[in-house]
Amino acid sequence: MSLKEKLVTSFMAFEDTIDVHSPIHDIRTEAIKTFENEGFPSKKEEAWKYTSLNAILKHDYSVFPKHENALEFKDVKKYFIHEIDSYKIIFIDGKYSSHLSQTTHDGIDICLMSSALNKPKYRLIIENYFNKIATKDGLSSLNTAFSAEGAYIHIPKNKLVDKPIQIIHFSTGNEAALMLQPRNLVVVDENSHVQIIERHQSLTDNPVLTNSVTEIFANKRAIVDYYKIQNDKENASLIDSTFINQKDGSLAKVHTFSFGGKLIRNNLNFYQNGERMDSVMKGITIIGKKQHVDHNTLVHHIEPNCESHQDYKGIFDDSSTGVFNGKVVVNKEAQKTNAFQSNNNILISDKASINTKPQLEIFADDVKCSHGCTIGQLDDSAMFYLRSRGIPEKEARALLMFAFSNNVLDSVKIPEIKNRITKIIANKLGVNIGFDL
């Protein structure tokens, strides 16, 4: 039985565990039909031309973990940004962990999708926002069909959340192979501000496939600052689809740091439904061996007087592969748009490769839009300069690569995250500064 057939069959068993009178029951039913018709994407599709899922779909994944697993904080402490106080929403093998989490109902809702989907007090938000901007492709529909658990975050008007929110999904490896499908919904109302940190982390080398969907709504003058830390084990694969809808005067920023995992596909989609707003996408990818990281971005400028900024840096070693497919669409009505897109890459190994495809579709005539990509190696003259001043080759290479990615790091607003990412990069580049993640 193929994984697709197993999932379609498993949906009937899944329905037995949920409330068929739920307001999203019809949405789930329609979604599984979409997945059954479309299945998993293949390289025949233009958006997946350089990324094949065949290698990760061959495992016999457990769709429903058989055991609930308890983890002690000391066992997973290093995966938290524990230098700062934060709210925490923690999941173990797809199940909520109350003893590792710290949530609140003190004027804001930081809780579980399972609660939001089933309790009447959340029904209005679910009806207005759930599955409203997620695309109806096969993978997103698969997640929608099985949506049961994840993070639910609702920030009401005029609220500055006093500390960041960490969302971490742990997989214990108690299953020979595990498939997880977390679903997150983030709604930030007018004039409110939230910072969110997300991570998916395997604790063993058993295969894990995570198909995650996150919908984010930034209402008028809201600020959303989102950080994705992707530094997983070699047999863990992640398909992360994030959809962001912005209203007038809002600012939404997503930083994606991709360092570990077998295959990572980041689908990041911004929809600008208003004026005077800014969308920011920045990322650093540093991989080696046979790792594969694919960034697929879209910014849709719908109204006038808006901006978007994309800046992705990639460093590829060994036989690793990178993909960047960035698309900016400017509607005819979106005059005075300022859209910037950049993708710069360094190939350390002759066997490493990068496929980059920046795209602009502009239907307005009064805009400033630019895009570009570079692929190269470390500057020999810069290396010679550093070596001539007594800096060993290994450290000289690391300094140049730090400088290469520094403008992305400079835009990180949480110092503790910047320090954590800096240390991870140092370890990836082979410079030991006493931190190992």
Side-chain angles (χ1 to χ4, degrees):
M1 181 185 293
S2 69
L3 180 58
K4 176 186 172 182
E5 293 170 334
K6 180 177 182 177
L7 288 164
V8 172
T9 303
S10 298
F11 181 74
M12 291 184 287
F14 174 70
E15 279 197 310
D16 291 337
T17 68
I18 58 177
D19 181 9
V20 295
H21 302 293
S22 165
I24 70 162
H25 175 68
D26 291 342
I27 296 175
R28 285 193 181 110
T29 303
E30 190 64 30
I32 196 64
K33 291 178 182 177
T34 300
F35 173 71
E36 188 173 9
N37 290 332
E38 296 195 9
F40 291 101
S42 72
K43 295 181 74 172
K44 294 179 180 179
E45 300 176 34
E46 183 64 26
W48 290 83
K49 184 176 180 180
Y50 302 109
T51 299
S52 172
L53 298 180
N54 291 341
I56 66 173
L57 297 180
K58 65 183 181 181
H59 299 289
D60 184 19
Y61 293 104
S62 173
V63 181
F64 309 115
K66 300 178 182 65
H67 308 286
E68 293 191 11
N69 303 284
L71 292 175
E72 297 297 326
F73 179 70
K74 62 182 177 60
D75 298 325
V76 294
K77 178 181 178 180
K78 66 178 183 177
Y79 300 113
F80 291 84
I81 309 293
H82 51 77
E83 299 89 348
I84 54 176
D85 188 20
S86 65
Y87 298 110
K88 302 175 183 67
I89 311 176
I90 310 303
F91 303 91
I92 302 172
D93 291 342
K95 302 293 184 181
Y96 176 63
S97 172
S98 59
H99 73 283
L100 291 180
S101 300
Q102 179 193 351
T103 60
T104 180
H105 295 271
D106 184 20
I108 57 178
D109 277 326
I110 301 174
C111 63
L112 306 179
M113 279 297 294
S114 56
S115 296
L117 293 174
N118 295 304
K119 293 184 178 180
K121 65 176 287 190
Y122 300 108
R123 180 158 295 185
L124 184 61
I125 294 293
I126 293 300
E127 290 179 349
N128 287 335
Y129 293 102
F130 181 83
N131 206 46
K132 297 303 184 183
I133 52 173
T135 56
K136 306 305 186 285
D137 61 277
L139 283 167
S140 294
S141 295
L142 175 63
N143 178 283
T144 299
F146 284 93
S147 56
E149 195 57 285
Y152 171 90
I153 300 169
H154 178 213
I155 313 300
K157 289 182 180 180
N158 306 314
K159 186 72 175 182
L160 174 63
V161 182
D162 58 342
K163 51 189 177 182
I165 303 168
Q166 295 194 61
I167 306 169
I168 305 182
H169 295 266
F170 291 110
S171 54
T172 62
N174 283 9
E175 305 285 340
L178 178 63
M179 185 173 188
L180 298 172
Q181 302 207 67
R183 182 65 171 244
N184 303 317
L185 177 62
V186 180
V187 179
V188 185
D189 286 342
E190 295 180 22
N191 303 313
S192 293
H193 181 192
V194 66
Q195 295 176 314
I196 300 173
I197 308 158
E198 181 185 50
R199 182 163 187 164
H200 301 266
Q201 186 63 50
S202 302
L203 302 178
T204 73
D205 293 326
N206 288 358
V208 177
L209 172 57
T210 300
N211 177 35
S212 177
V213 171
T214 300
E215 293 180 291
I216 301 172
F217 294 84
N219 289 305
K220 291 182 178 180
R221 297 175 297 280
I223 299 176
V224 179
D225 196 13
Y226 210 105
Y227 298 91
K228 297 176 181 287
I229 301 175
Q230 300 169 344
N231 191 30
D232 214 336
K233 301 277 189 177
E234 290 184 18
N235 277 335
S237 296
L238 171 65
I239 301 168
D240 189 319
S241 300
T242 300
F243 306 90
I244 301 177
N245 185 72
Q246 292 184 247
K247 296 295 187 180
D248 293 303
S250 62
L251 169 61
K253 300 186 292 182
V254 177
H255 287 73
T256 305
F257 301 103
S258 304
F259 305 123
K262 183 175 183 178
L263 181 148
I264 298 174
R265 165 76 175 214
N266 290 303
N267 300 310
L268 184 54
N269 303 272
F270 281 75
Y271 304 99
Q272 294 190 338
N273 288 290
E275 296 189 43
R276 299 174 301 279
M277 67 185 70
D278 194 0
S279 304
V280 178
M281 291 145 281
K282 299 201 174 189
I284 298 175
T285 299
I286 304 177
I287 56 174
K289 298 182 179 179
K290 295 184 178 181
Q291 292 176 287
H292 182 104
V293 172
D294 181 344
H295 295 287
N296 189 284
T297 69
L298 166 68
V299 184
H300 194 166
H301 291 269
I302 301 170
E303 302 289 341
N305 304 306
C306 295
E307 298 188 10
S308 66
H309 300 84
Q310 299 184 57
D311 191 3
Y312 284 79
K313 307 288 189 182
I315 300 173
F316 303 93
D317 201 356
D318 302 320
S319 297
S320 62
T321 304
V323 181
F324 176 80
N325 188 0
K327 188 174 184 179
V328 176
V329 179
V330 182
N331 280 14
K332 182 179 180 179
E333 297 78 15
Q335 305 292 342
K336 304 295 183 181
T337 290
N338 182 6
F340 169 81
Q341 182 188 91
S342 177
N343 174 230
N344 304 110
N345 306 281
I346 293 176
L347 302 180
I348 301 175
S349 165
D350 292 337
K351 295 181 180 180
S353 63
I354 172 72
N355 299 285
T356 181
K357 184 183 177 184
Q359 297 175 265
L360 296 178
E361 293 185 9
I362 303 172
F363 301 98
D365 52 18
D366 186 8
V367 299
K368 293 181 181 178
C369 296
S370 64
H371 69 110
C373 65
T374 61
I375 302 170
Q377 298 176 323
L378 291 175
D379 190 304
D380 289 337
S381 60
M383 278 290 294
F384 177 79
Y385 177 84
L386 294 174
R387 295 295 308 280
S388 68
R389 275 145 182 80
I391 299 176
E393 181 179 1
K394 189 176 182 180
E395 283 72 18
R397 286 164 62 91
L399 281 172
L400 290 177
M401 287 186 276
F402 263 118
F404 172 73
S405 57
N406 193 54
N407 63 326
V408 173
L409 285 174
D410 279 347
S411 66
V412 174
K413 297 301 182 183
I414 304 177
E416 292 82 1
I417 291 182
K418 184 175 181 179
N419 291 339
R420 176 67 62 95
I421 297 301
T422 299
K423 292 172 182 179
I424 294 175
I425 291 175
N427 287 336
K428 290 289 290 184
L429 299 179
V431 182
N432 187 4
I433 56 176
F435 198 92
D436 186 18
L437 261 186

